Amino acid sequence: AQSVTQLGSHVSVSEGALVLLRCNYSSSVPPYLFWYVQYPNQGLQLLLKYTSAATLVKGINGFEAEFKKSETSFHLTKPSAHMSDAAEYFCAVSDRRTDKLIFGTGTRLQVFP
Amino acid sequence: KAGVTQTPRYLIKTRGQQVTLSCSPISGHRSVSWYQQTPGQGLQFLFEYFSETQRNKGNFPGRFSGRQFSNSRSEMNVSTLELGDSALYLCASSGSPGTGERGEAFFGQGTRLTVV
């Protein structure tokens, strides 16, 4: 069965610092991988997705993620954090047979001035 | 184009009652999925409907049910509400199979259900 693991339920960074949110996946077939962001009292918004094209995926708001098959990872990064990046971030894998999205437990990002 | 619309946004119900939540997908999307989000359990998949048929189902009791109409709008129903059903219920719509868009879900803002 496919699954994702997000390391660190909370991450705190200073404004301007590098953001690194970790996600490892488990899948017996090449996966579709996603990062979603959720602001308070809102639904989830797609940040970026990997669907077996380029391994470095660029998303919205300056975020990017690199698919590393050897490490089964899909970590999310942003070179310089902004206060508006404070939110909860979810990594997800899509089961290619059923198209069901399986989410990680989420990482809450705090950005300090 | 308009996004996914969920109604109502907030709901307070009493234990034992039943509730119906509504979701209107993005125009042209035929797949609608429902998720329950709680602080303790995170995001859990409830079920998915495509062309009025349930395609996938998560591990929830039979009190949780859903349906999809011919215009792709979907409803989910929870009967005999329990305190533990208090959660944010999210609906997501996706494109049709074979387009390559499958798996990219567009979420609504959710319905916050509180059971007292």
Side-chain angles (χ1 to χ4, degrees):
Chain A
Q2 294 175 303
S3 65
V4 290
T5 301
Q6 291 185 242
L7 299 175
S9 58
H10 289 83
V11 170
S12 297
V13 300
S14 298
E15 193 172 21
L18 171 72
V19 175
L20 170 61
L21 305 182
R22 299 177 188 275
C23 173
N24 288 87
Y25 70 90
S26 172
S27 177
S28 58
V29 298
Y32 288 152
L33 292 163
F34 305 80
W35 275 99
Y36 283 86
V37 61
Q38 185 178 33
Y39 298 100
N41 296 317
Q42 298 292 320
L44 277 70
Q45 180 183 5
L46 181 68
L47 274 177
L48 49 81
K49 63 177 179 178
Y50 168 77
T51 56
S52 74
T55 56
L56 182 62
V57 182
K58 293 187 183 299
I60 62 172
N61 301 339
F63 284 93
E64 62 182 37
E66 186 172 8
F67 173 72
K68 291 187 177 180
K69 185 178 178 181
S70 60
E71 299 177 8
T72 62
S73 69
F74 190 57
H75 302 332
L76 182 70
T77 61
K78 180 174 181 177
S80 177
H82 192 273
M83 296 295 289
S84 60
D85 295 327
E88 188 147 22
Y89 292 80
F90 293 90
C91 182
V93 63
S94 174
D95 184 318
R96 290 199 178 194
R97 182 178 60 84
T98 67
D99 294 313
K100 192 167 77 171
L101 275 174
I102 300 163
F103 287 92
T105 51
T107 298
R108 184 167 298 279
L109 175 66
Q110 286 185 302
V111 182
F112 293 100
Chain B
K1 51 185 174 181
V4 178
T5 303
Q6 290 188 247
T7 57
R9 285 293 311 277
Y10 301 92
L11 207 48
I12 299 175
K13 289 286 189 179
T14 304
R15 271 184 305 174
Q17 287 187 311
Q18 75 166 14
V19 67
T20 299
L21 312 182
S22 179
C23 173
S24 294
I26 290 172
S27 177
H29 283 188
R30 294 163 61 193
S31 171
V32 173
S33 298
W34 289 89
Y35 295 83
Q36 182 195 64
Q37 186 178 25
T38 59
Q41 299 297 317
L43 273 158
Q44 292 189 290
F45 173 79
L46 279 156
F47 29 65
E48 180 202 0
Y49 287 86
F50 180 77
S51 293
E52 302 178 66
T53 301
Q54 188 180 89
R55 290 185 69 237
N56 289 304
K57 190 177 191 306
N59 295 321
F60 278 82
R63 300 185 297 108
F64 291 81
S65 63
R67 59 178 175 169
Q68 187 179 34
F69 302 95
S70 58
N71 62 358
S72 294
R73 190 177 70 86
S74 177
E75 290 181 345
M76 68 162 281
N77 183 278
V78 187
S79 62
T80 320
L81 283 166
E82 300 177 359
L83 295 179
D85 297 333
S86 295
L88 181 67
Y89 289 88
L90 292 165
C91 164
S93 76
S94 304
S96 301
T99 66
E101 293 177 344
R102 293 291 288 173
E104 179 173 348
F106 296 84
F107 284 80
Q109 292 188 299
T111 294
R112 171 78 61 186
L113 172 65
T114 302
V115 182
V116 298

